[in-house]
Amino acid sequence: MKKRILSVLMSAVLLTACTGQVAAAAGLTVTKGETAIDTQDKATIINGRTYVPFHFIIDAFYPQAKISWELGKAVVRDTDLELVLQPGARYMICNGRYLYTPDSMYMEDGELMVPLRILCTALGIGVAWDAANRLAILTPGSGPIQHGDEFYDEEDLYWLSHVIYAESGNQSLEGKIAVGNVVMNRLESPNFPNTIKGVLYQRNQFSTVSNGTIYLTPNEQSVVAAKLVLEGVNTAGDSLFFVNPKLSPNSWASRNRTYVATIGAHAFFA
């Protein structure tokens, strides 16, 4: 894979879990053009993001779509569209593409609440915010994002998901993404090889290569994290190194590089 600037659908630098700070939704209106979409006064602002019951947006823009619940997930199907939404998840899947949601989607009064702007990104819907009138104005756009099979390079996904799993095991999604960010940041740096495999196999850099754990089959969350990283999601900023401070309390990186953040079991350094 040659060095390139990845498409960024949703970037979240150094994000933490939802703090539960909710703003009152009084007077908050969502429209399709100039026509109000009836969200039954359930639109809510959490940590500066507007959340809505997803089906109201689907009904307004995809009136022929079929919505079903399958294995605890809401699945929306229409021509050129398959959208998967899961309560508690921090990503949604549209046509096989993965979009990061910094705060989890959640159930409230029987409704699945999702971040409006990210949903609209998935569906190709334009969004404008009229702060003075508390209006979220939606307009038809280019349609749903392209299919994932046309986006994720098979070899890149293989190596990235494997190193994420080997290095972060069962850590949080944010921690897994951060490990992947280090690999991609190195890929973009002139000081490191210009392929993901080359970055991983650079001498004395990743212990998981030398000890063979990189060949373990990654779990589902690690594959998801790799896809989100390839989408441009970033939780580790410009970090080029990470260490487990409990295992390496006096590492070279901690003594010589700029500290960025601690995410899960790893400290990250630029």
Side-chain angles (χ1 to χ4, degrees):
M1 171 180 171
K2 297 183 181 297
K3 295 181 181 178
R4 54 189 170 86
I5 298 176
L6 296 170
S7 168
V8 178
L9 293 180
M10 181 63 200
S11 180
V13 180
L14 307 181
L15 285 163
T16 58
C18 173
T19 63
Q21 296 176 348
V22 179
L28 178 60
T29 303
V30 181
T31 72
K32 179 181 181 181
E34 297 181 353
T35 303
I37 298 174
D38 182 9
T39 61
Q40 298 182 1
D41 295 324
K42 292 182 178 180
T44 303
I45 299 176
I46 301 176
N47 296 337
R49 299 179 185 90
T50 300
Y51 275 68
V52 298
F54 80 96
H55 71 88
F56 291 120
I57 308 304
I58 298 298
D59 291 346
F61 286 88
Y62 291 86
Q64 303 304 314
K66 304 297 183 183
I67 300 175
S68 61
W69 281 89
E70 304 172 14
L71 300 176
K73 302 174 183 178
V75 182
V76 181
R77 294 185 176 91
D78 198 1
T79 304
D80 299 323
L81 172 64
E82 182 175 272
L83 177 70
V84 181
L85 308 165
Q86 182 176 4
R90 299 183 73 168
Y91 59 89
M92 61 180 67
I93 309 170
C94 183
N95 291 340
R97 294 279 296 276
Y98 283 67
L99 294 88
Y100 186 60
T101 62
D103 297 320
S104 300
M105 294 177 282
Y106 64 96
M107 297 297 298
E108 182 176 275
D109 298 330
E111 300 280 7
L112 177 54
M113 305 293 291
V114 306
L116 176 63
R117 188 172 292 274
I118 300 171
L119 177 63
C120 289
T121 297
L123 299 176
I125 297 171
V127 184
W129 174 246
D130 180 348
N133 296 300
R134 293 180 61 79
L135 287 175
I137 305 168
L138 312 185
T139 54
S142 57
I145 57 177
Q146 70 186 61
H147 200 279
D149 291 343
E150 302 168 1
F151 185 83
Y152 304 118
D153 181 89
E154 185 176 347
E155 183 175 1
D156 291 345
L157 182 60
Y158 174 90
W159 288 112
L160 198 58
S161 60
H162 276 69
V163 72
I164 287 173
Y165 180 61
E167 294 286 353
S168 60
N170 293 315
Q171 290 188 41
S172 69
L173 182 61
E174 289 73 21
K176 289 179 176 294
I177 291 170
V179 168
N181 293 153
V182 168
V183 176
M184 300 308 292
N185 288 342
R186 288 188 177 197
L187 187 68
E188 298 298 329
S189 169
N191 298 320
F192 296 91
N194 65 352
T195 66
I196 290 178
K197 184 177 180 180
V199 167
L200 301 183
Y201 276 80
Q202 189 175 23
R203 188 176 179 182
N204 298 326
Q205 294 300 305
F206 288 87
S207 62
T208 53
V209 172
S210 58
N211 65 26
T213 55
I214 195 170
Y215 299 108
L216 295 173
T217 301
N219 60 12
E220 180 182 5
Q221 193 82 331
S222 297
V223 176
V224 169
K227 289 181 177 180
L228 290 170
V229 169
L230 291 173
E231 292 281 1
V233 177
N234 188 319
T235 62
D238 57 357
S239 298
L240 291 169
F241 303 88
F242 63 88
V243 297
N244 185 326
K246 290 184 178 180
L247 300 179
S248 303
N250 192 35
S251 66
W252 175 88
S254 65
R255 290 182 283 107
N256 293 278
R257 309 296 297 198
T258 302
Y259 172 77
V260 175
T262 296
I263 307 173
H266 291 130
F268 292 83
F269 301 88

